[in-house]
Amino acid sequence: MTTTKSQDKTDHLQALGKGGETTYQLEGPHSGILETFPNNYPNRPYIVSVEFPEYTSLCPMTGQPDFGVIVMEYIPKERIVESKSIKLYFFAYRNHQSFMETIANTMLEDFVEALDPLWCRVKGLFSPRGATTLHVFAEHFDTKAENIEEVKTIVSEWKQEASRHSS
C-alpha cells in the first residue's frame, strides 16, 4: 500500500508529539497552547467549526464544577488551529476558576490572538446549575479585511442554517 501526504505544513507542530509522545500543557489556559498551521486556501472564505462537548471548569465562588459544550467557529485567514492543541486548550480549563461569561470572551481573545481570523465566534453552551441555563456567545470580525462584506454574508448564512438545524 502506498502512503500519500498532503501539502499541509506540520513539521513545527508539537502537541501531537512524535511516535505517541504528547506534550500536555495543563498549567492553565493560555493562547500559547494553541498551535496553528498555514491555511492552504486563504483566498477561499470557508468556516471551520469545532465542538467540544466535554468542557469543564470551576465556579470562582463555590469551586463547584461547571459543565458545557464549547463551539468555536471561524473563517481562517492565513492560519488554522491544530485540533489536538485545541483539545488540550479546552482541557486546561478543568481546574481553572472563572465565570462563564469571562471564559467565552477569554477563549475568543486567545483564538483571535493565535489565528488572526476573518471571523471567530465562541459559543459557551453551559449545563444548567440551580435550574438556570446560561449560553454565552462572543464574536469577532476582522473589520479591516478587504472582503469583510463577503465574510459577513457567509457568517449570516451560516447562522441561519445552524438555527434551522437546532430547532
Side-chain angles (χ1 to χ4, degrees):
M1 174 183 252
T2 303
T3 301
T4 62
K5 186 148 174 90
S6 75
Q7 59 194 0
D8 297 323
K9 311 260 184 300
T10 60
D11 294 340
H12 67 287
L13 298 176
Q14 300 293 315
L16 285 175
K18 305 288 186 230
E21 296 177 16
T22 301
T23 304
Y24 293 97
Q25 302 175 18
L26 300 177
E27 66 276 1
H30 58 87
S31 63
I33 297 171
L34 299 168
E35 293 188 313
T36 64
F37 58 93
N39 177 11
N40 290 324
Y41 306 96
N43 296 322
R44 178 187 305 150
Y46 61 96
I47 294 176
V48 176
S49 180
V50 179
E51 183 173 317
F52 188 72
E54 299 177 3
Y55 176 81
T56 61
S57 62
L58 301 173
C59 173
M61 300 302 295
T62 66
Q64 294 295 308
D66 287 320
F67 301 93
V69 176
I70 301 293
V71 180
M72 193 276 280
E73 305 163 324
Y74 68 105
I75 297 177
K77 198 183 317 181
E78 300 295 325
R79 315 282 318 151
I80 297 175
V81 68
E82 191 280 318
S83 60
K84 176 73 177 249
S85 75
I86 199 169
K87 184 184 341 182
L88 295 175
Y89 175 82
F90 290 141
F91 283 159
Y93 275 90
R94 288 201 170 169
N95 292 318
H96 181 74
Q97 293 185 324
S98 192
F99 288 120
M100 297 169 199
E101 298 86 351
T102 302
I103 288 166
N105 280 282
T106 299
M107 285 181 176
L108 177 66
E109 290 173 357
D110 287 348
F111 292 131
V112 169
E113 180 181 334
L115 295 168
D116 187 28
L118 292 169
W119 168 76
C120 186
R121 177 170 67 169
V122 173
K123 299 190 298 188
L125 310 172
F126 298 98
S127 299
R129 285 188 67 206
T132 303
T133 300
L134 182 65
H135 292 171
V136 181
F137 293 61
E139 187 171 50
H140 162 83
F141 280 94
D142 180 354
T143 57
K144 296 177 184 167
E146 290 179 19
N147 60 342
I148 189 62
E149 292 308 316
E150 178 186 15
V151 168
K152 286 182 177 181
T153 299
I154 292 168
V155 168
S156 177
E157 290 170 359
W158 170 256
K159 288 178 181 179
Q160 288 174 5
E161 185 66 26
S163 69
R164 280 195 285 271
H165 292 290
S166 65
S167 299

